Amino acid sequence: MIKFENVTKIYPGMSSPAVDKLSFTVPTGEICTIVGPSGCGKTTAMKMVNRLIDATDGAIFVLDERGDMSNVLKIDPIQLRRSIGYIIQQIGLFPHRTILENIGTVPQLLDWDEARIRRRAEDLVTMMNMPVEFLDRYPHELSGGQRQRIGVARGMATDPPVMLMDEPFGAIDPINRNILQNEFLRLQQEIKKTILFVTHDIDEAIKMGDKICILNVGGFLEQFDSPANILAHPANEFVEDFVGADRALKRLNLVRVEEVMNARPPLIQTTQNVEQAAGFMAEQGIRFAYVVDADRTLKGYVRVRDLKGKTGWVDEFVEPAATTIPLTTSLKDALSEMLVVDYANVCVVDAQNRVRGLIDTNMIHEAVIESAAAAEGEEA
Amino acid sequence: MQAEKTQTKAQNRFWRELLDGWMNVLTQPNLDTFRAQRARADPLKTVLGVGLLGLVLGLWALAIKPATLVTEMRTEAILIDLLRMIFFTEADFFIISLLLFFIARGFNGIGSFSQQSYLLSLVTVPLGMIVVAFLFVGEKLGLTLTAVLNPLSPVGVAGIFVILFALYGFLLLLFALQAAHEMQSSAVFYTFGTPLVAWGILRIASMFAAGEENVITTQWAFIADQWAKGTAQELLLGHLWLVAFSVSIAVVLGVTIGVFITWPAQRPRLSHLVILIPLALFLLLWAASSGLLGEGMADQIASTTKDWSRSLKRIDNLYFGPLLAIVAAIIAKPAAVGMIVAVFTIILYALFLAGEKAGDLTLYIAGIILTIPSVALFGAMIKPLGIGPFNAAFALILYAQLPILRNTYTGIKAVTPEIVEAGRGMGMTEAQLLLKVKLPMAVPVIMTGVRVSIVMLIGIASIAAYIGNDTLGQYIFDGITRAQEKRYYAGAILVAILALAVDYFLGWLQGRLTPEGLKGRREAA
């Protein structure tokens, strides 16, 4: 848990505050994104937690190892910083140190023995889906996305309960950023850290945050709420402008395909013959269907017109599917994927490529209407 | 009639183009002029142009030294000699051009022989004629080349023009070759340099083969003789040890100051006294030992060291003798050492407190120190520090400061702020940040500064011979006082070889010291 209580920061020689009477609480195990235009003090707010900047007034509390809330100003800053994970853009890796030494920075400061550091680093790179051999390389030998994963691993080296992330994915290209965000969200489901995540990108804030803290210039808190609520009920004109005119579309980011997909889609088995398959599709009133084997592993799809007048087994007519989407994909990404391949529906698969459901544009449409209705209902 | 007119016109245009070419090349000396001329390349123009030069040369030779050219001043003989001169000029020009052409091809030149010859002729023909005119007029006025190049002769100033003219001609030749072959400037230099170097090597080799006495053989013999006597090694080692000793102190001092002036300003604290008081006490005792308390410990140390030094010399240990002499000389001056260390401590402490506020001022002062002529500084320090290695080391340490501390300063400042921020955010103390992040990342830059200062000190250490140090400068000063060329050449050559060798070694060392991860970073970026 991180708790801000009337936190104010006035830089020496400045008349107006950089952060103004900020109060909010990040519950344990949740990600809180701080977002706002440049000059809104979002980075200042974050750096006050690990005392890279000291607050002028007010207090910040973090949950310490004994489970007590302690005021950060009462803790020695060096000890405090070592106990809080700190992740910045990939440029913050030490170029003269190997990946192992980079990840081992804080453990080394805490005098862990070398074998333990190596073990921990191996665990972390494996967790980040990277080979253990990377440990002996230098940052410049890795791609931007890989370096950023190392940056995240470095922040988690001592498994700190609280982590600060300062625009960690800011300098990455959109495709890799999306991959990294998804990876991190999946990871967060396991590790359940309390995270303060600074970004200037409202889409990222909505996607990553369990809570969003929207700041205005001068460090003034405009709204602190869950992404769904912020999109449904912007507190004022500033927030409305900031989240953008497409906030209805942004809600698609908040829903995952597994929540709205058809979990019992019509499927054809590879063991069926052509007549059975054609009969099945006629019965269902569909023009094509996905084909799976006995484990529900996706093989491809068949079309009615390909089977017309043919005999034999289905698997002779299977064509490979152009795309599939994982369970945790947001509706927005799913929709964009469908538009890209020009399919009316797409298979939802798990990590072993087994079909778990089917999603089409109608389901997405209904989901949008439902969430709007739910928001209205709450309002009423 | 009409055809004749066209022919005349064509002939006119041909000569006008040739003249234009010469004028353009002389008045607009740049690559584009030559590129434009390349399109007009014509073997006939080249042959005619060079022939014209040959004719002028022949006429000049006839006018100046008729006896060498013609035995009997008969018309046929004159004509034959003129033709012979034209022929030899053409032959020389084309043989040299062919040679350059083949070398240029070796350096990836792409131009044709005809283009290259034409462009070269555009430079050589008009310039050659100007030279001939100069020589012709000069002969009449007593302006021989020796007189002109001698700054003390009445017409010595003209030498400047001759040198400028020669440089101008050389520049034009470079342009011509570059335009003809469209190659890199370095390749042009190599093309011209290869035949010259080859000629030089052959010439020297033939000198040695013939057993002729010349500058190089005498020089070689002198150095070999000095080496056999052991004097050269002694001076070389004295030189090296003086530089090494000064640099090791200068690096510690320079890097410390460089680090201090990147610091935020500090407040004086009581805990600082823990270091300052013992140091003050030590210095006080040290200074007192110079005589206030009778025969001081410093004197004892000094005499003991001298004994070591002597005994080491007795067992023919050449290598550490000079170092021990330096150490002994320094220890023998306890009061001065104490004073200097005290002053430097005060300066360092002040810089420690002032931190980055003092950055600009410190670099400025280090810059000023470097502008003091070394002889003046050596001279000024004779009174407080005496003559010998102590004085020399003091001055050398001061001179080495600027490159070292400036590079430390810029090296540390150049560390990306995000990297420092990352280290600080992960809980590094300021000292850990410095030792684990900032300094390792600044090592390549600092080492460059150390290299620069070492090579510079090798030069300045020669001058330290002036105040009684056994360095290679001894040869230079001896050579000057005894008016023996071979002596000061020997000094200069050995100093140059030493500087090059040490710089090469330091380059290797720099590669080894640079953190592995920083090496490939430039390619990656």
Side-chain angles (χ1 to χ4, degrees):
Chain A
M1 195 146 87
I2 306 170
K3 192 172 177 191
F4 279 67
E5 267 184 17
N6 281 320
V7 176
T8 301
K9 173 69 191 175
I10 303 172
Y11 283 108
M14 304 290 278
S15 52
S16 59
V19 171
D20 193 12
K21 296 206 184 67
L22 195 56
S23 298
F24 65 90
T25 305
V26 189
T28 306
E30 289 197 1
I31 300 179
C32 169
T33 49
I34 307 184
V35 65
S38 53
C40 71
K42 50 187 187 287
T43 305
T44 305
M46 189 202 73
K47 284 180 178 169
M48 284 191 288
V49 176
N50 67 355
R51 292 189 60 189
L52 284 172
I53 297 170
D54 274 344
T56 316
D57 199 17
I60 299 172
F61 299 92
V62 291
L63 205 61
D64 63 18
E65 304 95 54
R66 287 163 312 194
D68 299 332
M69 291 298 280
S70 45
N71 186 342
V72 293
L73 287 173
K74 302 265 164 61
I75 310 174
D76 170 53
I78 299 295
Q79 296 311 321
L80 176 75
R81 289 174 200 156
R82 288 177 187 178
S83 69
I84 294 179
Y86 186 55
I87 297 166
I88 66 172
Q89 286 184 11
Q90 43 113 343
I91 198 169
L93 290 186
F94 301 134
H96 60 295
R97 297 177 139 208
T98 61
I99 300 305
L100 174 67
E101 289 164 335
N102 263 293
I103 294 179
T105 307
V106 181
Q108 206 195 14
L109 294 174
L110 296 173
D111 280 337
W112 287 19
D113 64 71
E114 261 173 55
R116 187 177 168 205
I117 296 179
R118 179 146 203 126
R119 253 193 334 267
R120 177 64 184 155
E122 279 171 5
D123 288 350
L124 282 167
V125 289
T126 317
M127 205 191 276
M128 295 287 157
N129 297 323
M130 284 190 287
V132 176
E133 293 81 65
F134 274 20
L135 287 181
D136 297 313
R137 302 217 184 141
Y138 286 94
H140 72 82
E141 295 171 293
L142 270 53
S143 72
Q146 290 167 338
R147 279 197 288 251
Q148 193 49 62
R149 287 187 185 93
I150 298 301
V152 173
R154 183 170 74 169
M156 305 195 326
T158 55
D159 204 13
V162 173
M163 301 211 297
L164 306 177
M165 301 175 82
D166 189 359
E167 306 217 18
F169 309 132
I172 309 260
D173 63 278
I175 296 170
N176 273 312
R177 187 188 311 154
N178 203 10
I179 295 173
L180 282 165
Q181 286 168 343
N182 292 339
E183 275 182 11
F184 189 75
L185 284 174
R186 212 175 311 134
L187 193 63
Q188 165 69 359
Q189 288 181 345
E190 294 167 30
I191 59 178
K192 297 260 180 253
K193 303 287 182 195
T194 309
I195 296 168
L196 209 54
F197 188 112
V198 169
T199 175
H200 64 272
D201 175 5
I202 182 69
D203 289 313
E204 190 174 50
I206 291 168
K207 183 171 180 184
M208 304 301 290
D210 297 308
K211 292 278 190 305
I212 302 181
C213 170
I214 298 183
L215 295 185
N216 200 344
V217 176
F220 180 72
L221 179 63
E222 295 285 359
Q223 192 168 8
F224 177 77
D225 211 331
S226 68
N229 281 340
I230 284 181
L231 288 173
H233 316 293
N236 53 38
E237 215 167 297
F238 173 80
V239 178
E240 211 174 308
D241 281 351
F242 196 73
V243 296
D246 60 341
R247 62 194 163 92
L249 270 182
K250 285 195 168 104
R251 251 179 265 160
L252 290 178
N253 254 335
L254 301 173
V255 186
R256 309 204 177 287
V257 285
E258 56 184 334
E259 296 166 36
V260 297
M261 69 184 180
N262 175 5
R264 311 176 67 93
L267 295 172
I268 294 176
Q269 301 288 326
T270 43
T271 50
Q272 284 175 312
N273 65 27
V274 168
E275 287 101 66
Q276 285 174 318
F280 176 71
M281 284 193 273
E283 191 183 302
Q284 294 281 333
I286 50 180
R287 277 173 298 148
F288 75 100
Y290 287 100
V291 180
V292 294
D293 67 9
D295 300 336
R296 285 176 79 93
T297 306
L298 182 66
K299 289 298 170 190
Y301 65 90
V302 287
R303 282 179 294 202
V304 173
R305 63 179 151 104
D306 291 340
L307 300 182
K308 202 166 271 176
K310 301 278 169 49
T311 52
W313 299 103
V314 167
D315 51 6
E316 292 166 39
F317 303 96
V318 171
E319 299 207 22
T323 188
T324 57
I325 51 179
L327 279 167
T328 51
T329 316
S330 70
L331 286 190
K332 188 182 170 201
D333 292 347
L335 182 59
S336 127
E337 194 68 40
M338 284 187 216
L339 292 175
V340 168
V341 298
D342 198 17
Y343 277 17
N345 59 25
V346 183
C347 261
V348 181
V349 296
D350 62 14
Q352 283 77 41
N353 203 32
R354 284 195 297 257
V355 176
R356 301 288 296 271
L358 201 63
I359 188 154
D360 63 25
T361 41
N362 277 336
M363 296 175 198
I364 295 176
H365 184 214
E366 275 163 29
V368 173
I369 292 170
E370 255 171 52
S371 86
E376 290 303 317
E378 263 173 47
E379 206 163 6
Chain B
M1 188 68 187
Q2 190 63 34
E4 215 171 273
K5 226 176 193 174
T6 335
Q7 209 185 347
T8 329
K9 249 187 184 168
Q11 275 173 4
N12 282 346
R13 216 190 64 204
F14 178 85
W15 287 108
R16 210 172 40 244
E17 270 189 19
L18 196 56
L19 271 176
D20 269 0
W22 295 347
M23 288 312 292
N24 277 345
V25 160
L26 287 183
T27 52
Q28 294 160 22
N30 61 57
L31 211 49
D32 287 331
T33 315
F34 283 98
R35 286 203 180 111
Q37 288 297 327
R38 192 172 55 195
R40 297 187 182 176
D42 182 350
L44 191 62
K45 283 185 201 164
T46 320
V47 172
L48 280 174
V50 176
L52 203 61
L53 179 65
L55 183 67
V56 172
L57 277 172
L59 286 174
W60 169 66
L62 277 176
I64 299 288
K65 291 170 180 166
T68 57
L69 195 68
V70 278
T71 39
E72 292 167 72
M73 292 292 274
R74 280 183 313 174
T75 327
E76 308 91 76
I78 291 175
L79 276 179
I80 287 172
D81 281 337
L82 279 181
L83 281 176
R84 222 164 62 186
M85 199 65 180
I86 292 171
F87 174 76
F88 281 127
T89 315
E90 298 273 6
D92 283 351
F93 176 81
F94 283 106
I95 288 171
I96 293 174
S97 180
L98 196 64
L99 185 69
L100 287 176
F101 174 71
F102 282 123
I103 300 172
R105 273 291 146 100
F107 288 111
N108 297 327
I110 52 164
S112 71
F113 178 62
S114 137
Q115 284 172 340
Q116 184 209 289
S117 305
Y118 177 64
L119 292 184
L120 287 179
S121 80
L122 281 184
V123 181
T124 41
V125 173
L127 285 185
M129 289 201 231
I130 293 174
V131 171
V132 170
F134 173 82
L135 290 175
F136 182 71
V137 179
E139 189 78 7
K140 302 288 170 207
L141 299 177
L143 293 169
T144 59
L145 204 59
T146 0
V148 165
L149 288 179
N150 180 1
L152 297 178
S153 86
V155 287
V157 189
I160 295 171
F161 294 101
V162 174
I163 290 167
L164 284 179
F165 191 70
L167 282 177
Y168 186 63
F170 185 63
L171 185 78
L172 287 179
L173 284 177
L174 291 181
F175 280 145
L177 210 59
Q178 189 167 10
H181 292 291
E182 287 301 337
M183 45 189 188
Q184 291 176 337
S185 327
S186 56
V188 179
F189 274 104
Y190 298 147
T191 309
F192 273 117
T194 313
L196 287 178
V197 170
W199 177 81
I201 291 173
L202 280 176
R203 179 83 186 88
I204 293 167
S206 68
M207 277 175 171
F208 275 99
E212 254 176 76
E213 183 109 329
N214 61 61
V215 185
I216 293 162
T217 48
T218 20
Q219 201 60 55
W220 179 257
F222 177 72
I223 294 176
D225 176 52
Q226 291 292 308
W227 196 268
K229 280 185 194 156
T231 332
Q233 291 98 308
E234 211 166 309
L235 294 184
L236 198 68
L237 282 165
H239 203 107
L240 207 53
W241 275 121
L242 182 62
V243 172
F245 181 84
S246 315
V247 163
S248 19
I249 295 177
V251 167
V252 176
L253 197 66
V255 171
T256 315
I257 296 179
V259 166
F260 282 173
I261 58 179
T262 56
W263 242 198
Q266 306 278 320
R267 251 167 239 217
R269 295 224 183 93
L270 220 56
S271 57
H272 296 161
L273 293 177
V274 177
I275 300 173
L276 291 177
I277 288 179
L279 193 71
L281 280 175
F282 172 75
L283 289 174
L284 215 60
L285 273 173
W286 183 255
S289 68
S290 64
L292 290 178
L293 304 172
E295 176 162 338
M297 59 174 171
D299 288 336
Q300 284 172 14
I301 296 170
S303 59
T304 324
T305 324
K306 266 180 199 152
D307 283 345
W308 288 345
S309 174
R310 256 188 235 117
S311 61
L312 280 171
K313 269 212 171 128
R314 256 205 308 279
I315 55 167
D316 201 19
N317 188 328
L318 181 67
Y319 301 103
F320 294 97
L323 176 67
L324 289 175
I326 295 168
V327 175
I330 285 165
I331 292 173
K333 298 227 166 263
V337 171
M339 190 189 74
I340 289 173
V341 176
V343 168
F344 273 109
T345 311
I346 291 167
I347 293 174
L348 277 178
Y349 186 63
L351 287 172
F352 171 72
L353 292 183
E356 54 194 357
K357 284 187 203 158
D360 290 339
L361 185 69
T362 314
L363 291 175
Y364 189 63
I365 292 174
I368 289 177
I369 290 176
L370 208 57
T371 64
I372 304 173
S374 43
V375 178
L377 190 57
F378 287 138
M381 289 297 137
I382 287 177
K383 199 161 184 204
L385 305 179
I387 60 169
F390 186 31
N391 181 341
F394 177 78
L396 292 186
I397 290 168
L398 280 189
Y399 281 126
Q401 286 311 299
L402 181 68
I404 296 175
L405 81 82
R406 184 190 51 203
N407 281 40
T408 310
Y409 179 80
T410 42
I412 290 178
K413 283 275 174 187
V415 177
T416 330
E418 282 85 356
I419 292 175
V420 179
E421 181 90 355
R424 192 173 287 133
M426 285 189 294
M428 286 188 174
T429 60
E430 289 303 314
Q432 283 165 335
L433 264 181
L434 180 72
L435 294 175
K436 295 186 174 190
V437 179
K438 291 181 184 171
L439 276 182
M441 287 191 67
V443 159
V445 188
I446 297 177
M447 272 307 288
T448 309
V450 173
R451 255 172 99 174
V452 169
S453 65
I454 290 182
V455 172
M456 189 176 79
L457 290 200
I458 289 179
I460 301 178
S462 336
I463 302 170
Y466 190 62
I467 47 166
N469 287 284
D470 289 338
T471 70
L472 290 168
Q474 206 77 55
Y475 281 132
I476 300 174
F477 287 109
D478 283 359
I480 292 171
T481 44
R482 298 188 204 174
Q484 279 182 335
E485 268 186 4
K486 58 183 179 188
R487 267 182 196 277
Y488 53 73
Y489 279 152
I493 290 169
L494 289 175
V495 168
I497 291 175
L498 186 66
L500 285 176
V502 168
D503 189 52
Y504 184 82
F505 166 73
L506 289 170
W508 172 83
L509 193 69
Q510 186 173 16
R512 295 298 302 271
L513 283 180
T514 302
E516 206 56 46
L518 294 181
K519 282 180 187 166
R521 211 152 64 109
R522 187 155 291 172
E523 294 106 75

